[in-house]
Amino acid sequence: MNLLFTLKKIIQALVMPSGLVFIFLFLAFIANFSRYRKSQVRVFLVLAFLTFYSCATFLPRLLLHPLENKYQIPTHKELVKAKAIVLLPCYISDKPGQGLVDRLGGETAKRFLSALRLAKEFPEKPLIIVGAGAKGHEGASYLLLLAKELGVEKVEAFDKARDTISSVKILREHLKDKPFLLVTAAYHMPRSVYLFKKEGLDPIPYPAYRVSQGFGFPSFSDFWPRPINLFYSDIAAHEYLGLAFYWLRDHIPLNL
């Protein structure tokens, strides 16, 4: 199982936009040493440039916008109906010697703050954090400690989930017959809601934040490459690959 999980992660890394840029540059580097393949060098360099430029500028917002508009913030009536708050964090470092705040990546911090606001507004609802560190060890437990430091009393943590699917399976019995607020990034919500509902659970989507918020006519600065855009392109590719996998395997509708 660990081997398959590792292989899946390697394949995903290679087909991400950042991975494709590296592959094209690597192929150009190799072809450069052959006197019979000089034309291929230009082809690979052009592919690397086009992939990098589009993914580091306007493309991620175009890709993420449809995913992020699927669900809106729940109404007060829906918020009150929920029996728990479930947080799906992103990366949490489990390196030794780090402080609690140092362990949070920017993605996790945004999701955590949204869940924290809900836990403060509805202290009677338990906050359930499910997610692992980099090696599948402690992760959610670090957020539990931080949440308690910030005054949240009813909080639980499940560390051993390595991805969204394993998170759902861990929480399946815990949340049976209980409507709950599902807190994650807006772009990750369609896939997450599908997986929870597939297990017969009742998630109420609560998008933590939207990358494409205020998406409209681009300005000049939107056409200048930024590293964060390449990161979001990787995220968009990851989400669409995940949805494509479920569509092929489970025949889910394309407009999930």
Side-chain angles (χ1 to χ4, degrees), residues 10-71:
I10 292 174
I11 293 174
Q12 285 180 349
L14 291 176
V15 299
M16 295 294 106
S18 56
L20 290 176
V21 171
F22 170 77
I23 289 173
F24 291 144
L25 289 176
F26 179 75
L27 291 174
F29 175 78
I30 296 299
N32 184 61
F33 290 97
S34 173
R35 60 179 178 177
Y36 302 108
R37 300 192 176 188
K38 297 300 181 183
S39 61
Q40 294 183 9
V41 174
R42 290 192 292 270
V43 172
F44 291 137
L45 287 177
V46 168
L47 289 174
F49 172 78
L50 292 177
T51 303
F52 170 79
Y53 181 76
S54 60
C55 292
T57 52
F58 57 87
L59 189 60
R61 288 180 179 270
L62 291 174
L63 293 175
L64 291 172
H65 190 64
L67 295 175
E68 295 189 328
N69 275 353
K70 179 68 176 178
Y71 298 102

Side-chain angles (χ1 to χ4, degrees), residues 159-230:
D159 283 313
K160 294 186 178 180
R162 305 186 68 177
D163 51 23
T164 308
I165 294 177
S166 56
S167 297
V168 173
K169 293 186 181 301
I170 286 173
L171 296 178
R172 181 170 48 195
E173 294 301 322
H174 199 77
L175 295 171
K176 190 174 182 180
D177 301 323
K178 294 180 182 178
F180 60 92
L181 294 169
L182 178 60
V183 181
T184 187
Y187 60 76
H188 185 49
M189 195 62 77
R191 190 156 57 101
S192 301
V193 169
Y194 165 72
L195 290 172
F196 276 102
K197 286 186 174 180
K198 184 183 177 185
E199 295 297 329
L201 299 176
D202 186 14
I204 301 172
Y206 190 97
Y209 69 97
R210 304 175 194 274
V211 176
S212 60
Q213 188 74 31
F215 180 74
F217 189 79
S219 63
F220 174 78
S221 61
D222 292 327
F223 291 95
W224 187 258
R226 297 174 61 201
I228 190 65
N229 287 334
L230 190 60

Side-chain angles (χ1 to χ4, degrees), residues 60-110:
R61 288 180 179 270
L62 291 174
L63 293 175
L64 291 172
H65 190 64
L67 295 175
E68 295 189 328
N69 275 353
K70 179 68 176 178
Y71 298 102
Q72 303 302 318
I73 296 295
T75 64
H76 182 73
K77 183 179 180 180
E78 292 175 307
L79 293 176
V80 171
K81 181 178 72 172
K83 304 300 182 184
I85 303 164
V86 173
L87 169 62
L88 298 182
C90 191
Y91 175 73
I92 306 169
S93 173
D94 55 5
K95 295 178 180 178
Q98 289 184 311
L100 288 178
V101 175
D102 298 329
R103 298 184 184 279
L104 275 66
E107 285 282 298
T108 292
K110 293 177 182 178

Side-chain angles (χ1 to χ4, degrees), residues 111-143:
R111 301 182 192 189
F112 178 65
L113 286 174
S114 291
L116 200 64
R117 289 175 62 187
L118 287 171
K120 289 285 192 177
E121 184 177 356
F122 301 99
E124 74 282 1
K125 305 181 192 298
L127 172 59
I128 303 172
I129 307 170
V130 55
K135 299 177 182 177
H137 298 160
E138 285 186 279
S141 290
Y142 291 124
L143 290 181

